[in-house]
Amino acid sequence: MALYSAFFFNGIVVSNPRISKNRCFNLNKKCVSRLGISAQSNRFCKLQGKALSAENGLADVDDSDLVVCFGELLIDFVPTTSGLSLADAQAFKKAPGGAPANVAVGISRLGGSSAFIGKVGEDEFGYMLSDMLKENNVNNEGLRFDPGARTALAFVTLRADGEREFMFYRNPSADMLLQENELDYDLIKKAKIFHYGSISLITEPCKSAHIAAAKAAKDAGVLLSYDPNLRLPLWPSAESAREGIFSIWETSDVIKISAEEISFLTQGEDPYDDAVVQKLFHPKLKLLVVTEGPDGCRYYCQDFRGRVKGLKVEVVDTTGAGDAFVAGILSLLAKDLSLLQNEGKLREALRFANACGALTVMERGAIPALPTKDIVENELHKIVL
């Protein structure tokens, strides 16, 4: 996909004239073709709207089972060789990422309907990520561009066991600067499920935008899905992370959490003790899922609880595994909310979600590794046979 960008260094505009003939952007006043617009004149155009394709139009959205994902969209740089520090890694694979965006793409790959709300920089990476959403049939009407901030970057170190360590570049990045008045409330109210994490709660103005978006969804009767997705280095302190994550805990209907995150939130209590997990189950919660990697997951509902075994696979990169799991369960839940009352159907859905997570760890990067519905079902069919 051809792109256009302009980078600014000490007041000098350095342009990249790779302009798509079919690309146009919805600006504040009207949609203007980027073809033929100089970098110097275009620097004053504020891209506050959504990226469109003149050829394909907006992604088709089935409002009846739409999942809207809110939060960060960024570029992950993953070492091509596992087991090395960032300083020792000699090459990195560039991959689109950001937990809520991963979930949105994952749902679409699984045959579901998804949309993304967030903000990227008015730069080459931002345009690339906008294209990525379109190419994966994710509705990007809610995506905004910031002309004064860069798209977020994250360098991800892969240890020998496939687990990750992060170094983020956000000072601030565009995703942190989304404002309430830039929210697409019509899109939010159309959703069956509104999904989000905790990173968007760390700083203003994005924190207020997050709270406003979730309130609009709740008031519209939309199911709220929460994956805390703890990234401790991004928070001012461990205590602020706990307070921030818990600040919206009791408004959520569905929560996915890892065993490690339970240990953090309970300040060291045993995450495998049901009594500890029950402390996190608030009265209005419909489903709490605890993921345990290759060991599968535990589920807690108002009337039942249990465990679903996972799949054993060769781990290459765990980036995006939790997001793939969330995409798996939400893609099915959006089509049938009765899963929350039917334990048999919920177990099958969680088995499907476990397979989504397992297949994702077999490749590097998050979005590039997300499986399609056919691949997941074929894998589950092989296990049954």
Side-chain angles (χ1 to χ4, degrees):
M1 178 72 69
L3 300 174
Y4 173 97
S5 67
F7 296 94
F8 300 85
F9 299 97
N10 298 322
I12 301 173
V13 182
V14 181
S15 64
N16 179 348
R18 295 189 290 127
I19 307 170
S20 170
K21 294 182 179 179
N22 291 324
R23 176 190 295 278
C24 62
F25 289 87
N26 183 21
L27 306 182
N28 288 339
K29 294 183 179 180
K30 61 182 179 179
C31 188
V32 180
S33 169
R34 293 182 68 90
L35 183 60
I37 297 179
S38 69
Q40 186 65 34
S41 64
N42 189 59
R43 65 182 295 188
F44 300 107
C45 295
K46 295 181 185 271
L47 286 147
Q48 300 293 342
K50 51 265 189 182
L52 306 174
S53 167
E55 180 178 8
N56 299 322
L58 293 172
D60 292 332
V61 174
D62 179 358
D63 293 347
S64 65
D65 61 358
L66 175 65
V67 180
V68 174
C69 300
F70 174 95
E72 64 277 9
L73 174 59
L74 50 84
I75 302 291
D76 285 329
F77 286 92
V78 183
T80 56
T81 303
S82 300
L84 298 176
S85 67
L86 287 176
D88 292 333
Q90 296 186 7
F92 295 82
K93 177 182 178 181
K94 178 185 66 177
N102 294 342
V103 173
V105 173
I107 289 170
S108 179
R109 293 246 181 106
L110 294 170
S113 174
S114 65
F116 177 79
I117 292 177
K119 201 171 195 182
V120 292
E122 185 186 335
D123 54 34
E124 186 104 353
F125 284 145
Y127 303 148
M128 185 195 82
L129 292 171
S130 176
D131 287 335
M132 179 277 300
L133 292 176
K134 280 295 293 181
E135 289 161 2
N136 284 279
N137 204 33
V138 175
N139 184 303
N140 64 356
E141 291 183 46
L143 183 66
R144 303 290 180 257
F145 292 80
D146 194 306
R150 294 295 185 207
T151 300
L153 307 179
F155 286 82
V156 187
T157 300
L158 304 179
R159 301 200 307 250
D161 61 1
E163 286 299 324
R164 302 154 297 156
E165 296 174 354
F166 294 88
M167 180 182 291
F168 295 93
Y169 286 78
R170 309 167 80 230
N171 293 308
S173 53
D175 60 292
M176 302 164 67
L177 302 176
L178 182 69
Q179 301 181 51
E180 287 184 58
N181 62 10
E182 295 178 300
L183 294 172
D184 189 329
Y185 287 103
D186 290 337
L187 185 61
I188 292 170
K189 294 173 183 178
K190 289 178 185 177
K192 187 81 162 283
I193 300 173
F194 184 70
H195 175 73
Y196 46 85
S198 68
I199 291 176
S200 49
L201 295 169
I202 297 175
T203 58
E204 294 288 2
C206 189
K207 177 180 178 180
S208 292
H210 176 132
I211 293 170
K215 183 180 185 304
K218 193 77 169 180
D219 290 347
V222 179
L223 192 78
L224 301 189
S225 166
Y226 184 25
D227 176 3
N229 193 39
L230 176 66
R231 295 290 178 261
L232 196 54
L234 295 178
W235 292 86
S237 66
E239 188 54 38
S240 67
R242 287 190 193 91
E243 290 178 2
I245 289 171
F246 278 133
S247 69
I248 60 170
W249 194 264
E250 295 194 3
T251 64
S252 304
D253 300 300
V254 175
I255 297 175
K256 173 267 177 188
I257 191 169
S258 69
E260 293 79 10
E261 288 165 341
I262 291 176
S263 181
F264 171 78
L265 291 175
T266 59
Q267 301 190 59
E269 294 189 53
D270 183 3
Y272 301 97
D273 184 341
D274 276 355
V276 172
V277 178
Q278 283 297 131
K279 294 178 184 178
L280 299 175
F281 196 97
H282 66 77
K284 296 182 180 179
L285 189 60
K286 296 178 173 62
L287 173 64
L288 175 65
V289 179
V290 181
T291 53
E292 300 176 359
D295 295 324
C297 65
R298 284 172 283 157
Y299 59 91
Y300 300 79
C301 293
Q302 294 284 352
D303 300 320
F304 49 80
R305 68 181 70 166
R307 173 187 292 276
V308 178
K309 291 182 180 179
L311 281 68
K312 307 295 183 181
V313 298
E314 183 177 348
V315 176
V316 174
D317 176 13
T318 59
T319 304
D323 303 327
F325 177 95
V326 173
I329 186 64
L330 294 187
S331 68
L332 298 178
L333 189 57
K335 290 179 169 62
D336 185 5
L337 291 178
S338 72
L339 293 174
L340 297 172
Q341 289 81 44
N342 186 313
E343 186 172 11
K345 290 178 12 178
L346 177 62
R347 288 182 62 85
E348 284 301 308
L350 291 172
R351 184 166 168 267
F352 180 86
N354 281 340
C356 291
L359 290 167
T360 300
V361 307
M362 298 173 69
E363 292 186 39
R364 298 188 194 278
I367 287 176
L370 294 170
T372 64
K373 183 178 180 181
D374 287 344
I375 290 174
V376 177
E377 290 180 342
N378 287 340
E379 189 66 27
L380 290 174
H381 181 67
K382 286 191 295 185
I383 294 172
V384 171
L385 293 179

